Amino acid sequence: MSNQTYKRIVLASRPTAAVTPDNFRLEEVPVPELADGQVLVRNHFLSLDPYMRGRMSEGKSYADPQPLGEVMIGGTVGEVIASKNAKWNVGDKVVGMFGWQELGVTDGSGMQKVDTTHIPLSAYLGSVGMPGVTAWYGLNKIIAPKAGETIVVSAASGAVGSVVGQLAKLAGCYVVGVAGGKDKCDYVTGELGFDACIDYKAANDAKELYGMLKAVTPKGVDGYFENVGGDILDAVLARLNPFARIAVCGLIAGYDGQDMPIRNPRAILVSRCKIEGFIVSEHMEVWPQALKELGGYVAQGKIKFRESVAEGLASAPEAFMGLLKGKNFGKQLVKLA
Amino acid sequence: MSNQTYKRIVLASRPTAAVTPDNFRLEEVPVPELADGQVLVRNHFLSLDPYMRGRMSEGKSYADPQPLGEVMIGGTVGEVIASKNAKWNVGDKVVGMFGWQELGVTDGSGMQKVDTTHIPLSAYLGSVGMPGVTAWYGLNKIIAPKAGETIVVSAASGAVGSVVGQLAKLAGCYVVGVAGGKDKCDYVTGELGFDACIDYKAANDAKELYGMLKAVTPKGVDGYFENVGGDILDAVLARLNPFARIAVCGLIAGYDGQDMPIRNPRAILVSRCKIEGFIVSEHMEVWPQALKELGGYVAQGKIKFRESVAEGLASAPEAFMGLLKGKNFGKQLVKLA
């Protein structure tokens, strides 16, 4: 393979505000020779996720920034195409963190074999992968919903939000989604089975958004899974019941450094609520249980999901910029050869 | 006693913004005849507390608003002066909730006998009363400090904040107060033994306040006890260490309905912190343990406190308005005859 090449995308520069195509660079590099113990993986799908935006900046965050000139971080699913490691066979389907590139080389650490008999390979990047476990952790460990409670989730049609809402329905809750646009809302209530969904784009201002939320949460809000921030968070704060719980998973509205104030933190006191941020990769102890439950639900059709698939590695930057603006519908993937 | 009268203060009107003297009315009413089973109490001290501001407004909050025309709510300490109840004797020292009035009549419910051998009567309205238990609960049950951690408390010279900081010092923490003015800061570090105290009034803007906080929290902030809100909360959010805990006890900065935004809620995610509001009266199960510990510390001189004492019932409205502006120094009381 020494004369062959593959493509990868590296971080070329850090965004000063919104992400631009200039922040990325497509490179073509030689396929490395495998050393003893190494495995070569062809990536079939890349996962695109909002957290990657945080890594592109240098500010203080929960993880070190993505280094310049190195392959963009990211989850991948693929298949072993060459192996000098007795534990891995050509043809094994695997999930790993090879980032934005067509191939990956590893000694096997950080890579898991997956079973695609009942679950499609790409789902291991979505409902049965990091986004699914994120939903599972925030809902079960922070919100801890009881049957009959009202649970709200933002970015409800997305990879995380769609799982949050379906798990909450399975737990017997009344579930309200927040999504951008009629199509997404129709999908959330029609296909995913949420009780209601409000279209934040149909609100002209924060007051209207609050009114829309109030209309579909007659019993107030007991739990909120936060993926967005901004006006939606303020509206939910004003609807909280006593002892409500808010899991803060993402604040995509502020990723480009915008001010994103909570206008009414007094609601924290009035409702005696708990607000807790979390990063799912810091709770590896729950992954086996979460993945087992999620895999079962997906295999049984109790958790449905939708994917936006961009074709070819070169399409990744544009698909990623679209994701940050909510242009995707469901889990955003990049399909490779 | 039927020809005798006593004085009381009722809520005359609700504040539209800041509290004004017009919101209160002093009344003189006849001392009632005691029925069988009843006890007459002379109040020696009234407690003035920020929560009373919330009760004066009609907006949604954790408690019903104070009714118009009725005696202002409030904790009191005093002594039994007449009794038709075998469980209570003339001369018993008691803590109760008789509100802003010179006398109180009760069947004994909601009133406790207290021992003033080693603890002054007024302390049962402060360090060994509701403010003390508030400090104890927020610190121990929400912040749960570990030795060596950095704990910050706002309104540090006040009835609650002073106890929070001293308990945190006893737990082996590095403790930073926030208070208004050099005198209060000197008291917090000199008398109460905090490691540092910043004077928020000395900061010209939010950036300076952040700089002052940063200078005295070289290892970041692990726990924050919030009594104030506003710029201080934002500055602390930017200094949080991973897995920090914030107990939200009061948000006095927003009591008159001002906007009080959290500018940077992204810190919630970056630090994976927990923010939790609480009302101490909803956690009666901890009161016996908390009061026992607090009483022991006060009797041994390990918890010190300071009082601002206004003289006479008629001084209560002005003293209360001063409290809301931070004019008091330590626990605000009104001394009655």
Side-chain angles (χ1 to χ4, degrees), chain A residues 60-62 240 243 248-251 255 260-262 265-266 268-270 272-277 279 282, chain B residues 60-62 240 243 248-251 255 260-262 265-266 268-270 272-277 279 282:
Chain A
K60 179 189 174 186
S61 191
Y62 50 82
L240 291 184
F243 310 109
V248 180
C249 166
L251 293 166
Y255 274 2
M260 188 189 41
I262 294 178
R266 194 166 148 67
I268 297 168
L269 186 58
V270 170
R272 296 86 92 196
C273 73
K274 181 180 78 170
I275 303 177
E276 193 166 343
I279 307 297
E282 293 177 333
Chain B
K60 179 189 175 186
S61 191
Y62 49 83
L240 292 184
F243 309 110
V248 180
C249 166
L251 294 166
Y255 273 3
M260 189 188 41
I262 295 178
R266 195 168 147 67
I268 298 168
L269 186 58
V270 170
R272 296 87 90 198
C273 73
K274 181 180 76 169
I275 303 177
E276 194 166 341
I279 307 297
E282 293 177 332

Side-chain angles (χ1 to χ4, degrees), chain B:
Chain B
M1 279 198 189
S2 57
N3 290 329
Q4 293 186 297
T5 60
Y6 71 102
K7 295 197 180 89
R8 63 184 195 184
I9 292 177
V10 301
L11 181 65
S13 62
R14 302 197 185 281
T16 49
V19 177
T20 64
D22 291 348
N23 299 136
F24 306 97
R25 185 172 63 242
L26 183 72
E27 296 180 344
E28 190 158 354
V29 294
V31 176
E33 291 287 338
L34 289 188
D36 274 351
Q38 286 189 327
V39 177
L40 185 66
V41 175
R42 174 169 301 285
N43 299 323
H44 290 322
F45 290 97
L46 313 182
S47 177
L48 296 181
D49 301 277
Y51 77 83
M52 296 166 175
R53 176 62 186 86
R55 302 292 177 90
M56 293 175 74
S57 293
E58 233 165 2
K60 179 189 175 186
S61 191
Y62 49 83
D64 287 335
Q66 156 86 41
L68 285 173
E70 291 192 12
V71 175
M72 279 290 296
I73 192 176
T76 49
V77 288
E79 141 175 37
V80 174
I81 55 171
S83 177
K84 292 193 174 179
N85 183 321
K87 292 181 189 159
W88 300 90
N89 298 313
V90 171
D92 283 348
K93 300 291 196 294
V94 295
V95 56
M97 284 291 287
F98 293 114
W100 296 20
Q101 54 184 345
E102 293 173 328
L103 299 180
V105 174
T106 175
D107 61 2
S109 60
M111 182 166 85
Q112 281 87 40
K113 209 171 294 191
V114 296
D115 182 349
T116 55
T117 316
H118 300 292
I119 297 170
L121 183 62
S122 61
Y124 289 101
L125 295 176
S127 304
V128 193
M130 186 272 287
V133 180
T134 300
W136 190 97
Y137 184 89
L139 184 71
N140 289 316
K141 295 298 181 178
I142 296 177
I143 297 175
K146 291 186 271 290
E149 287 191 327
T150 296
I151 307 299
V152 177
V153 54
S154 56
S157 68
V160 175
S162 62
V163 177
V164 171
Q166 292 177 93
L167 286 175
K169 282 303 296 175
L170 288 164
C173 297
Y174 176 85
V175 179
V176 174
V178 182
K182 186 176 183 310
D183 284 356
K184 288 182 180 175
C185 286
D186 287 349
Y187 168 72
V188 164
T189 51
E191 188 73 12
L192 300 181
F194 287 35
D195 297 286
C197 188
I198 62 172
D199 173 9
Y200 71 85
K201 289 185 177 171
N204 291 307
D205 55 30
K207 197 178 167 187
E208 264 188 45
L209 186 66
Y210 173 77
M212 288 162 60
L213 181 68
K214 188 177 178 186
V216 294
T217 56
K219 294 182 182 174
V221 174
D222 301 295
Y224 178 49
F225 194 104
E226 174 60 289
N227 287 307
V228 176
D231 286 346
I232 300 170
L233 178 53
D234 260 310
V236 171
L237 280 172
R239 291 295 300 153
L240 292 184
N241 288 328
F243 309 110
R245 294 83 60 197
I246 297 180
V248 180
C249 166
L251 294 166
I252 202 168
Y255 273 3
D256 292 337
Q258 308 91 321
D259 250 19
M260 189 188 41
I262 295 178
R263 286 188 204 89
N264 181 25
R266 195 168 147 67
I268 298 168
L269 186 58
V270 170
S271 69
R272 296 87 90 198
C273 73
K274 181 180 76 169
I275 303 177
E276 194 166 341
F278 74 103
I279 307 297
V280 72
S281 55
E282 293 177 332
H283 303 279
M284 294 311 294
E285 73 285 356
V286 310
W287 283 59
Q289 183 192 351
L291 287 174
K292 194 179 161 194
E293 285 183 31
L294 293 163
Y297 286 140
V298 167
Q300 297 162 46
K302 287 182 178 170
I303 287 185
K304 298 174 185 170
F305 58 89
R306 185 154 170 168
E307 295 169 342
S308 284
V309 182
E311 294 283 337
L313 183 68
S315 70
E318 195 186 329
F320 180 62
M321 291 184 280
L323 170 72
L324 295 175
K325 291 174 187 151
K327 288 187 181 168
N328 61 307
F329 193 151
K331 172 66 196 172
Q332 180 66 57
L333 299 170
V334 178
K335 188 164 186 270
L336 305 180

Side-chain angles (χ1 to χ4, degrees), chain A residues 138-153 164-165 167-177 194-196 216-225 239-246 271-272 274:
Chain A
L139 184 70
N140 289 314
K141 295 297 181 179
I142 296 177
I143 297 175
K146 291 187 271 291
E149 287 191 327
T150 296
I151 307 299
V152 178
V153 54
V164 171
L167 286 175
K169 282 303 296 176
L170 289 164
C173 297
Y174 175 84
V175 179
V176 174
F194 287 36
D195 297 285
V216 295
T217 56
K219 295 182 181 174
V221 174
D222 301 295
Y224 178 49
F225 194 105
R239 291 295 300 153
L240 291 184
N241 288 329
F243 310 109
R245 294 82 62 195
I246 298 180
S271 68
R272 296 86 92 196
K274 181 180 78 170

Side-chain angles (χ1 to χ4, degrees), chain A residues 37-50:
Chain A
Q38 285 188 328
V39 177
L40 186 66
V41 175
R42 174 169 300 284
N43 299 323
H44 289 323
F45 290 97
L46 314 182
S47 177
L48 295 181
D49 300 278

Side-chain angles (χ1 to χ4, degrees), chain A residues 248-309:
Chain A
V248 180
C249 166
L251 293 166
I252 202 168
Y255 274 2
D256 293 336
Q258 308 91 318
D259 251 18
M260 188 189 41
I262 294 178
R263 285 188 205 89
N264 181 24
R266 194 166 148 67
I268 297 168
L269 186 58
V270 170
S271 68
R272 296 86 92 196
C273 73
K274 181 180 78 170
I275 303 177
E276 193 166 343
F278 73 103
I279 307 297
V280 73
S281 55
E282 293 177 333
H283 304 280
M284 294 311 293
E285 73 285 358
V286 309
W287 283 59
Q289 183 192 352
L291 288 174
K292 193 178 161 194
E293 285 183 30
L294 293 163
Y297 286 140
V298 168
Q300 296 163 47
K302 288 182 179 172
I303 286 184
K304 298 172 185 173
F305 58 88
R306 186 154 169 169
E307 296 168 341
S308 284
V309 181

